[in-house]
Amino acid sequence: MAEVIVVTSGKGGTGKTTVSLLLAKAFCRRGKNVLLLELDSGLRGLDLLLKVSDRVVYDLSDVLTGSCKPVKAITVCDVPKGNLHLIAAPQNRHFIPDPGNLKLLIKGLSECYDYLILDTAAGLGKDFDIACSVGTKALIVATADAISVRDAARAAQELRSLSPRLVVNKFSRKNLSAQLPDLDAVIDGVGAQLISVIAEDAAMARQLASGIQPSASSPAVCEIDDLAGRIMGERIKLNTDRLK
Ligand SMILES: Nc1ncnc2c1ncn2[C@@H]1O[C@H](COP(=O)(O)OP(=O)(O)OP(=O)(O)O)[C@@H](O)[C@H]1O
Ligand SMILES: [Mg+2]
């Protein structure tokens, strides 16, 4: 059975989609079969980042409303072992998955993959509740600013039954403030156990945006590789040399 990892944040733009994508690729490099399920209705983006937009015919709403079989909505992505698959988010921004149907779909898909990664929309509304109800693990992606930390704390509270882990993203010491003077203050503010700190990595973000595979030596890619290892149970220490 697959682990179903819900990637969430509360606040928008903290890096949920980026972390979901790079984590999925990191699992694939470790030989795992991974399905990325994008839940951000009306705002799909993973198909573009994975350069498979022209191959996406059906999306999550088609599967959940019974318009097509799940296999029709699965797009095989271009990674060396072909072990990364995507179900794209619905184009319809008003689409809210039916929780029962989503649960059934996830149950079926869980038989076929090692990891299902659910890239959620920002916010803590109904979509958030539905995504959380199907997860077996949760990652809360927060940045080191007061609003993100407060929103992430709310998400952590709601997700406590899944023991969520905190991913601090876009971290840069020069952006710390008197309110959040160091990493410990961020962790205390969110109230979830830390699993990863990803450096602010402008080069990686630029490469992703232009459809280029980010360099394997980029600080964000290396840290997310370690994150994949930690999720798989390896004891990998945080490499603070990657943080500026
Ligand atoms: N570690 C990082 N360093 C620099 N830029 C980053 C990093 N992680 C993500 N970004 C950039 O931040 C922006 C937002 O990232 P992303 O789309 O992954 O956030 P999101 O949480 O999924 O947003 P939304 O809430 O809109 O779904 C993107 O331009 C992305 O390239
Ligand atoms: Mg996103």
Side-chain angles (χ1 to χ4, degrees):
M1 288 292 276
E3 285 281 12
V4 183
I5 304 176
V6 179
V7 181
T8 184
S9 65
K11 185 175 182 277
T14 61
K16 296 175 292 299
T17 299
T18 305
V19 169
S20 298
L21 173 67
L22 296 180
L23 181 61
K25 288 190 167 186
F27 282 137
C28 288
R29 281 193 292 276
R30 288 162 181 263
K32 300 295 176 189
N33 295 321
V34 184
L35 178 81
L36 271 165
L37 191 58
E38 192 177 27
L39 294 172
D40 209 341
S41 291
L43 294 173
R44 70 165 65 147
L46 279 170
D47 58 322
L48 279 176
L49 293 173
L50 285 158
K51 298 209 279 187
V52 294
S53 306
D54 53 343
R55 281 186 250 158
V56 174
V57 179
Y58 297 102
D59 61 41
L60 181 65
S61 65
D62 297 311
V63 180
L64 293 179
T65 55
S67 304
C68 74
K69 293 233 160 65
V71 69
K72 291 251 185 202
I74 292 172
T75 303
V76 179
C77 304
D78 298 323
V79 297
K81 295 178 187 148
N83 51 350
L84 176 57
H85 297 178
L86 169 73
I87 295 185
Q91 298 277 30
N92 172 3
R93 71 187 171 90
H94 297 298
F95 182 80
I96 296 180
D98 173 82
N101 289 347
L102 184 65
K103 248 181 211 156
L104 273 178
L105 174 67
I106 300 265
K107 193 166 170 240
L109 293 170
S110 291
E111 308 280 342
C112 313
Y113 295 93
D114 298 301
Y115 290 97
L116 304 188
I117 300 181
L118 274 49
D119 177 24
T120 69
L124 300 177
K126 200 159 182 227
D127 287 4
F128 171 84
D129 288 340
I130 294 168
C132 298
S133 72
V134 295
T136 59
K137 278 188 189 298
L139 296 177
I140 298 178
V141 182
T143 49
D145 65 89
I147 297 175
S148 173
V149 165
R150 188 170 60 188
D151 291 359
R154 292 289 308 278
Q157 271 292 317
E158 297 298 328
L159 283 163
R160 54 190 181 279
S161 63
L162 294 181
S163 303
R165 296 288 188 266
L166 170 63
V167 176
V168 179
N169 189 27
K170 307 191 204 183
F171 184 82
S172 161
R173 289 202 175 84
K174 72 176 182 347
N175 292 341
L176 289 164
S177 59
Q179 225 171 345
L180 294 164
D182 52 30
L183 193 54
D184 285 340
V186 177
I187 300 166
D188 289 349
V190 176
Q193 196 182 328
L194 183 75
I195 190 166
S196 182
V197 185
I198 304 164
E200 170 101 64
D201 187 341
M204 174 280 299
R206 262 196 314 276
Q207 285 165 336
L208 269 188
S210 24
I212 301 168
Q213 170 69 28
S215 145
S217 62
S218 95
V221 171
C222 292
E223 176 53 28
I224 294 175
D225 259 327
D226 285 352
L227 170 60
R230 290 181 198 120
I231 293 172
M232 288 169 65
E234 296 168 24
R235 295 176 74 86
I236 302 174
K237 282 196 180 149
L238 188 68
N239 182 343
T240 47
D241 294 346
R242 289 183 196 136
L243 305 175
K244 297 232 171 64

